[in-house]
């Protein structure tokens, strides 16, 4: 990383009234937790790394993104990533299968709400419908 990029990194700062750490990304203050803690420094490093990776665009993680939107974006990515000799591979077919299993149950749910219990529910619905590892 060039030195001029390091100079332009947003600063890890302390909010004087609350004592919390914060960073300003694209004009938006993001609070990181208690200033000086390992957790707040870890969150700062992660957010700045994501900000740099996304070419200095900040995406608010609290946006209401649905599971269906995440799946649509991943299917578009998978279609180009899982290609061989101009055709999609069986890995891409697997992505389509799992999306078909998830969509009726959780397609309209918020992505932040999709956790381990939801994954277990999808797995059980696949088992109940007669699917196995070989199909």
């Amino acid at each position: 990383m060039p030195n001029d990029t390091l100079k332009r990194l947003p600063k890890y700062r302390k909010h004087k009234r609350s004592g919390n750490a914060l960073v300003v990304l694209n004009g938006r203050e993001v609070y990181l937790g208690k200033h000086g803690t390992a957790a707040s420094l870890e969150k700062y490093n992660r957010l700045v790394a994501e900000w740099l990776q996304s070419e200095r665009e900040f995406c608010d993680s609290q946006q209401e993104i649905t599971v269906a939107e995440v799946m649509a974006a991943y299917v578009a990515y998978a279609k180009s990533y899982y290609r061989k000799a101009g055709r999609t591979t069986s890995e891409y077919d697997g992505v389509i299968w799992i999306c078909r299993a998830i969509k009726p149950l959780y397609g309209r749910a918020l992505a932040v709400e999709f956790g381990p219990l939801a994954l277990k529910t999808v797995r059980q619905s696949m088992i109940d419908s007669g699917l196995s590892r070989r199909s």
Side-chain angles (χ1 to χ4, degrees), residues 67-84:
V67 172
E69 291 171 319
V70 172
M71 289 188 308
Y74 187 70
V75 165
Y77 164 78
K79 190 170 189 175
S80 64
Y81 185 79
Y82 296 114
R83 289 187 89 62
K84 199 173 208 177

Side-chain angles (χ1 to χ4, degrees), residues 63-71 102-115 118-119 122:
Q63 288 179 351
E64 295 184 1
I65 299 172
T66 64
V67 172
E69 291 171 319
V70 172
M71 289 188 308
I102 294 172
K103 190 174 179 180
L105 295 171
Y106 293 99
R108 293 184 184 198
L110 294 179
V112 296
E113 296 172 355
F114 190 89
L119 188 58
V122 170

Side-chain angles (χ1 to χ4, degrees), residues 30-75:
V30 181
Y31 290 90
L32 309 168
K34 186 170 170 77
H35 185 270
T37 62
S40 69
L41 287 167
E42 180 181 316
K43 188 172 182 181
Y44 166 79
N45 288 329
R46 179 178 50 81
L47 284 174
V48 170
E50 289 173 355
W51 179 73
L52 289 170
Q53 186 65 33
S54 67
E55 298 177 4
R56 298 175 186 256
E57 290 294 322
F58 178 65
C59 177
D60 186 3
S61 63
Q62 299 301 316
Q63 288 179 351
E64 295 184 1
I65 299 172
T66 64
V67 172
E69 291 171 319
V70 172
M71 289 188 308
Y74 187 70
V75 165

